Amino acid sequence: FGRALPRGGGGGGGASAVPFAERIALDDIKGRQLGYGEKPDYVVVAATLNFVRTEKMWYEACAQDGCQKKVVQNTDGSWHCEKCNSTMQDCERRYITSATFIDDSAQAWISAFNDTGLQMFGNVTADQLAVYKEEVEGEEGKFEDYMKQFLFQRFILKVRVKSETWNEQQRVKSAIVDLKPCDYKSESAALITALKALPAN
């Protein structure tokens, strides 16, 4: 890969339309004060990816099967996992990405972790992106230009919403549990169904 890094492929088949009555708008997350209950709220939204924070998109994880804990790099370039108490020559980079999504009502910051990050970025792995980013370091804007191909895609997102307390401040955090590219044929059918269900004047 590297400079031959492929353009992102499809993130899988388009989503079967979730009925409009079962979705919310992004503005409803704040408006309904979601996430403040004892348990997380899980909601479905249709929204467009419009910004990805590219400064830190992944973390370095243990490459041992089933671990995934963060590792620390040693002075000789190897990586150490405290959980496994083992040292390895390479790590596995896993997505932990912050992005903004928009719909007709609002813009919202939503996090994506490894599996959903792969879907967002066309199955390009965090390891592949890390190698490419290192290769184009010093070429201003090169990496950001590559990432632009993933913007302005519309997805059906299942989002986990939960408030967290940090430094005595309570903040609501949203994270993608599942996402699929918007299937416009299914969306059109769902819209027609929703319109037919409206009461006649």
Side-chain angles (χ1 to χ4, degrees):
F1 38 87
R3 289 189 181 275
L5 187 68
R7 300 193 70 78
S16 298
V18 176
F20 279 49
E22 297 178 18
R23 304 181 191 176
I24 69 167
L26 287 175
D27 189 51
D28 288 330
I29 294 176
K30 183 177 181 180
R32 297 186 190 179
Q33 293 190 313
L34 298 179
Y36 287 100
E38 185 177 338
K39 295 182 179 180
D41 287 307
Y42 291 88
V43 297
V44 176
V45 298
T48 300
L49 175 65
N50 77 319
F51 177 78
V52 175
R53 183 177 286 157
T54 57
E55 293 84 1
K56 184 64 176 175
M57 296 177 58
W58 51 77
Y59 73 99
E60 291 76 23
C62 178
Q64 303 266 28
D65 286 344
C67 181
Q68 301 178 9
K69 292 295 184 181
K70 188 175 181 178
V71 292
V72 177
Q73 191 167 28
N74 299 317
T75 55
D76 63 359
S78 63
W79 300 86
H80 181 73
C81 175
E82 290 188 4
K83 180 186 177 185
C84 298
N85 192 27
S86 62
T87 299
M88 59 210 76
Q89 290 305 305
D90 204 358
C91 63
E92 178 190 13
R93 290 158 188 86
R94 297 179 62 83
Y95 286 120
I96 181 166
T97 302
S98 294
T100 58
F101 287 82
I102 56 172
D103 65 7
D104 292 337
S105 70
Q107 172 176 285
W109 282 99
I110 306 179
S111 299
F113 299 100
N114 199 61
D115 290 345
T116 51
L118 283 167
Q119 292 175 290
M120 278 173 53
F121 304 134
N123 293 317
V124 176
T125 68
D127 278 328
Q128 288 176 306
L129 274 188
V131 170
Y132 180 70
K133 188 173 186 179
E134 184 176 347
E135 287 191 352
V136 300
E137 188 176 1
E139 299 181 48
E140 187 175 351
K142 188 85 171 181
F143 182 75
E144 289 74 15
D145 286 344
Y146 175 80
M147 293 302 299
K148 286 178 182 177
Q149 67 177 298
F150 302 113
L151 301 181
F152 307 112
Q153 298 182 79
R154 186 171 173 83
F155 294 98
I156 307 299
L157 312 169
K158 183 177 181 180
V159 180
R160 177 187 186 274
V161 184
K162 187 73 178 76
S163 65
E164 296 180 3
T165 302
W166 179 258
N167 287 339
E168 300 182 355
Q169 289 188 335
Q170 197 170 32
R171 293 169 52 186
V172 173
K173 291 192 174 183
S174 301
I176 302 170
V177 177
D178 187 40
L179 86 164
K180 292 290 187 296
C182 180
D183 181 330
Y184 289 98
K185 183 177 179 180
S186 296
E187 284 289 282
S188 298
L191 178 58
I192 291 170
T193 300
L195 290 173
K196 287 180 177 178
L198 291 174
N201 290 332

